[in-house]
Amino acid sequence: MTAKLTGGCTCGAVRYETEAEFEFSFNCHCRKCQRATGAGHASAFALPADAVRITGDIREYKGSSDAGAATYGGFCPTCGSPLTSRTERFPERLYFHAATLDDPSVFQARFVLFGEEAQPWDLPAPENNEENQP
Ligand SMILES: [Zn+2]
Ligand SMILES: [Zn+2]
């Protein structure tokens, strides 16, 4: 069976694949995502954690959400590419950074999170905000 979605880090030490569809997808402009990605926002999608096969080691940085839940930002310890994130609130779900996909063009954000924290040089695109959809 051919995997629907495949991806990995910059150096290739970590690879993932799944037959699952995106559960949802979003652009998050919160300050944590800005720092974690080094960019104005994170583009990410959610997959059922048990539907993803991962090869290679992902190291995780433990943080916490504004609500106090433990969060884990996963990255490749060799090249440092941000790969995943997860929260203890939804252990059945794993988030992946969109640009880790082998074909990132299949990604489309369904909604925007923390648009009010967006930087003036990276404002949320209105077409990415579901509230602005017809
Ligand atoms: Zn790597
Ligand atoms: Zn965020």
Side-chain angles (χ1 to χ4, degrees), residues 12-13 22 25 27 36 41 45 52 63 65 72 82 89 100 103 106 111-112 134:
F22 298 154
S25 54
N27 289 334
H41 67 272
F45 55 87
V52 190
S65 73
Y72 300 87
R89 282 187 65 203
T100 63
D103 179 10
V106 302
F111 55 87
V112 167

Coordinates of all heavy atoms in Angstrom, one line a residue, residues 12-13 22 25 27 36 41 45 52 63 65 72 82 89 100 103 106 111-112 134:
G12 N 16.9 14.3 6.5 CA 16.4 12.9 6.2 C 16.5 11.9 7.2 O 16.1 10.7 7.0
A13 N 17.0 12.2 8.4 CA 17.2 11.3 9.5 C 15.8 10.8 10.0 O 15.6 9.7 10.5 CB 18.0 11.8 10.6
F22 N -5.8 14.5 6.5 CA -5.7 15.6 7.6 C -7.0 15.6 8.4 O -8.1 15.6 7.8 CB -5.6 17.0 6.9 CG -4.4 17.3 6.1 CD1 -4.5 18.2 5.1 CD2 -3.2 16.6 6.3 CE1 -3.3 18.5 4.2 CE2 -2.1 16.8 5.4 CZ -2.2 17.8 4.4
S25 N -6.4 21.5 9.6 CA -5.2 22.2 9.2 C -5.3 23.6 9.5 O -6.4 24.2 9.5 CB -4.9 22.0 7.7 OG -6.0 22.3 7.0
N27 N -3.1 27.7 10.2 CA -2.0 28.6 10.4 C -2.1 29.2 11.8 O -3.1 29.8 12.1 CB -1.9 29.7 9.4 CG -1.6 29.2 8.0 OD1 -0.9 28.2 7.8 ND2 -2.0 30.0 7.0
A36 N 9.1 28.8 17.7 CA 9.5 27.5 17.3 C 9.8 27.3 15.9 O 10.6 26.4 15.5 CB 8.3 26.5 17.7
H41 N 4.5 32.5 11.4 CA 3.5 31.6 11.9 C 3.9 30.2 11.6 O 4.8 29.9 10.8 CB 2.2 31.9 11.2 CG 2.2 31.6 9.7 ND1 2.6 32.5 8.8 CD2 1.8 30.5 9.0 CE1 2.5 32.0 7.6 NE2 2.0 30.8 7.7
F45 N -0.9 20.6 10.4 CA -2.1 19.7 10.2 C -2.0 18.7 11.3 O -1.0 18.3 11.8 CB -2.1 19.2 8.8 CG -0.9 18.4 8.4 CD1 -0.8 17.0 8.7 CD2 0.1 19.0 7.7 CE1 0.3 16.3 8.3 CE2 1.3 18.2 7.4 CZ 1.3 16.9 7.7
V52 N 0.2 7.1 12.0 CA 1.5 7.6 11.4 C 2.6 6.7 11.8 O 2.8 6.3 12.9 CB 1.8 9.0 11.9 CG1 2.9 9.6 11.1 CG2 0.6 9.9 11.9
G63 N 6.9 21.9 26.8 CA 6.5 23.3 27.2 C 5.1 23.2 27.8 O 4.7 22.1 28.2
S65 N 0.9 24.9 27.4 CA -0.1 25.7 26.7 C -0.5 26.8 27.7 O -0.2 26.8 28.9 CB -1.3 24.9 26.3 OG -2.1 24.6 27.4
Y72 N 4.4 19.3 23.7 CA 5.7 18.7 23.3 C 6.0 19.1 21.8 O 5.3 18.7 20.9 CB 5.7 17.2 23.4 CG 5.4 16.7 24.8 CD1 4.1 16.6 25.2 CD2 6.4 16.5 25.7 CE1 3.8 16.2 26.5 CE2 6.2 16.1 27.0 CZ 4.8 15.9 27.4 OH 4.6 15.5 28.7
P82 N 11.9 21.6 12.9 CA 10.7 21.3 13.7 C 9.8 20.4 12.9 O 9.7 20.6 11.7 CB 10.0 22.7 13.8 CG 10.7 23.6 12.9 CD 12.0 23.0 12.4
R89 N -3.5 17.2 26.3 CA -5.0 17.3 26.3 C -5.6 16.4 25.2 O -6.7 15.9 25.3 CB -5.4 18.7 26.0 CG -5.3 19.6 27.3 CD -5.9 21.0 27.0 NE -7.4 20.9 26.7 CZ -8.1 21.8 26.0 NH1 -7.4 22.8 25.5 NH2 -9.3 21.6 25.8
T100 N 7.2 20.1 6.3 CA 7.9 18.9 6.3 C 7.4 17.9 5.3 O 8.0 16.8 5.1 CB 7.8 18.2 7.7 OG1 6.4 17.9 8.0 CG2 8.3 19.1 8.8
D103 N 5.5 16.8 -0.4 CA 4.7 17.7 -1.3 C 3.9 18.7 -0.5 O 2.7 18.5 -0.3 CB 3.8 16.8 -2.3 CG 3.0 17.7 -3.2 OD1 3.3 18.9 -3.3 OD2 2.1 17.2 -3.9
V106 N 0.0 20.1 -1.1 CA -1.2 19.4 -0.8 C -1.9 20.1 0.5 O -3.0 19.8 0.8 CB -1.1 17.9 -0.6 CG1 -0.6 17.3 -1.8 CG2 -0.3 17.6 0.7
F111 N -8.1 27.2 8.9 CA -8.4 28.3 9.7 C -7.2 28.9 10.3 O -6.1 28.3 10.2 CB -9.4 28.0 10.8 CG -9.0 26.8 11.7 CD1 -8.2 27.0 12.8 CD2 -9.5 25.5 11.4 CE1 -7.8 25.9 13.6 CE2 -9.1 24.4 12.1 CZ -8.3 24.6 13.2
V112 N -7.3 30.1 10.9 CA -6.2 30.8 11.5 C -6.4 30.8 13.0 O -7.5 31.1 13.5 CB -6.1 32.3 10.9 CG1 -5.2 33.1 11.8 CG2 -5.7 32.3 9.5
P134 N -17.1 32.0 2.3 CA -18.6 32.2 2.0 C -19.4 31.1 2.6 O -18.9 30.0 2.8 CB -18.6 32.2 0.5 CG -17.3 31.6 0.0 CD -16.3 31.8 1.2

